[in-house]
Amino acid sequence: GGSSRPRAHRLESMRPAFRISEAEKRYLLDGIAHGLRNDGRGCFDYRRIAFELGQIPSSTGSCRLRAGETDLLVSVKCDISAPSRLRPDAGSFHINVDCAASVSVAADAANADESSRQLAVILESLCASDDIVDRQALCILPGTFAWEVHVDVLVLTSGGNLLDSVSLALCAALSQTVLPKVDVVEAVEEGEAARLQVDPRPEVGSKFPMRRLPLCVTVAQIQQRFLFDITSDEEQCADAIVCVIVDAMCGEVVGLHKLGRGLFELAALPSMLERCRAAAGVLMLQLERELALSEKAVAGATRLDALGEGDVEMVAE
């Protein structure tokens, strides 16, 4: 129940610092009316996407993604800490976003920080709910030890369609993330604290516990046309924008999120959802190819530098 208005986020502050002129807007709209985009793509074509996986040695998983003018970095770091008192049987998973000053319209740091907070809230809502991340699987010893996972997103430049790019890079980084094998050594004597024995070898670790693999596919309506992978200029001309969340594991639509206040043509929604599913499938195939190439490149190498070499022991406080 309740109004959907709080979920209709406006990403005004994420738009580029330079607004297009009325003449540029008319030119862009005239082209789209005839099915022609400024960069030559068809209405449902994506820009070329380039991945760089595992580029941050200190992280458990990382991905740098470039698509058009967008350039961003996602890093996953895993630590062991005490679980929260509210959820003693679950670990924690948090997304933090940092946008370079050039990404935000606002020149001052306060509004740039607000841009980052807006994006982090939307990403946590769409890509990090309990339906997606199995937080209970992150618990090692209830009330004592649990994984504390931090995802840091650094947006260097944005050329539009930021949610899709970040979600794809997030899925890439988490697909790479391996949690080390951890054994609980029970206390032998009374009053002695339980200890953890950590085996940092990646081949005996476990994959990050994802219930779903959320890919965002954003659809923009501009007059009577619908577009995928919109540029910053096209964002400024959009009448309505809807983000469709597709579970790349099974290809099903698992969420729908409206951005801004425009009205999306409901009659076109079923056909757009099918197109979104198909687009997510193509993106997932590319991601799987990149992950396979990355696994070949690092075969036999120890990846968990942050936990050191050999067994590591931790003692409950």
Side-chain angles (χ1 to χ4, degrees):
S3 170
S4 62
R5 186 173 298 171
R7 293 185 60 78
H9 293 281
R10 291 180 67 83
L11 288 178
E12 295 290 345
S13 54
M14 297 305 300
R15 292 182 176 180
F18 299 101
R19 302 286 187 180
I20 61 173
S21 67
E22 283 302 313
E24 289 173 314
K25 188 172 183 178
R26 282 196 302 271
Y27 178 79
L28 186 147
L29 291 174
D30 286 344
I32 289 174
H34 292 87
L36 302 171
R37 299 170 77 170
N38 285 359
D39 55 12
R41 286 182 293 146
C43 290
F44 301 109
D45 293 340
Y46 270 74
R47 289 164 285 189
R48 186 181 299 275
I49 299 170
F51 296 90
E52 291 180 33
L53 302 175
Q55 296 298 305
I56 305 177
S58 60
S59 69
T60 316
S62 66
C63 175
R64 184 172 187 175
L65 184 144
R66 295 184 179 91
E69 295 176 4
T70 297
D71 188 359
L72 59 90
L73 192 63
V74 173
S75 171
V76 182
K77 293 188 178 180
C78 304
D79 297 310
I80 295 176
S81 63
S84 86
R85 292 182 179 178
L86 295 176
R87 298 191 65 180
D89 62 342
S92 61
F93 181 88
H94 301 289
I95 298 176
N96 176 66
V97 178
D98 188 12
C99 295
S102 59
V103 174
S104 175
V105 169
D108 59 288
N111 282 330
D113 288 345
E114 180 59 27
S115 302
S116 301
R117 280 193 292 271
Q118 282 183 16
L119 187 55
V121 167
I122 295 174
L123 285 169
E124 290 231 1
S125 170
L126 302 185
C127 302
S129 66
D130 283 347
D131 290 339
I132 292 170
V133 177
D134 187 355
R135 285 172 170 79
Q136 284 190 311
L138 294 174
C139 183
I140 301 167
L141 183 62
T144 308
F145 291 118
W147 287 107
E148 183 179 345
V149 182
H150 292 275
V151 176
D152 292 309
V153 180
L154 175 60
V155 181
L156 301 170
T157 58
S158 175
N161 202 37
L162 199 53
L163 277 178
D164 293 22
S165 297
V166 173
S167 75
L168 186 57
L170 177 64
C171 287
L174 290 175
S175 295
Q176 275 194 310
T177 298
V178 175
L179 297 175
K181 182 185 177 185
V182 177
D183 293 315
V184 178
V185 181
E186 298 290 347
V188 178
E189 299 178 5
E190 188 176 346
E192 186 182 4
R195 293 179 294 113
L196 290 184
Q197 196 164 28
V198 182
D199 187 338
R201 293 175 299 164
E203 61 269 21
V204 297
S206 56
K207 289 189 174 183
F208 187 82
M210 299 287 286
R211 291 191 167 112
R212 304 182 188 276
L213 206 57
L215 285 183
C216 296
V217 180
T218 301
V219 188
Q221 182 176 350
I222 300 180
Q223 297 176 343
Q224 300 305 309
R225 296 277 183 174
F226 297 91
L227 279 70
F228 284 173
D229 190 21
I230 53 175
T231 65
S232 299
D233 289 352
E234 289 166 346
E235 279 184 2
Q236 295 182 52
C237 300
D239 298 312
I241 301 176
V242 170
C243 179
V244 178
I245 301 91
V246 180
D247 178 8
M249 289 182 179
C250 64
E252 294 300 315
V253 174
V254 295
L256 202 62
H257 190 85
K258 186 169 170 291
L259 298 169
R261 296 173 183 165
L263 297 176
F264 196 86
E265 188 180 324
L266 288 179
L269 194 56
S271 63
M272 285 302 107
L273 293 181
E274 286 305 309
R275 284 189 176 273
C276 289
R277 290 178 59 189
V282 172
L283 292 172
M284 191 59 198
L285 283 175
Q286 184 178 354
L287 176 56
E288 286 174 346
R289 284 197 299 268
E290 295 290 339
L291 289 169
L293 289 172
S294 176
E295 285 176 8
K296 287 181 182 178
V298 299
T302 300
R303 299 289 307 284
L304 302 170
D305 303 283
L307 291 172
E309 297 183 0
D311 286 354
V312 179
E313 287 195 354
M314 299 187 67
V315 181
E317 293 182 359

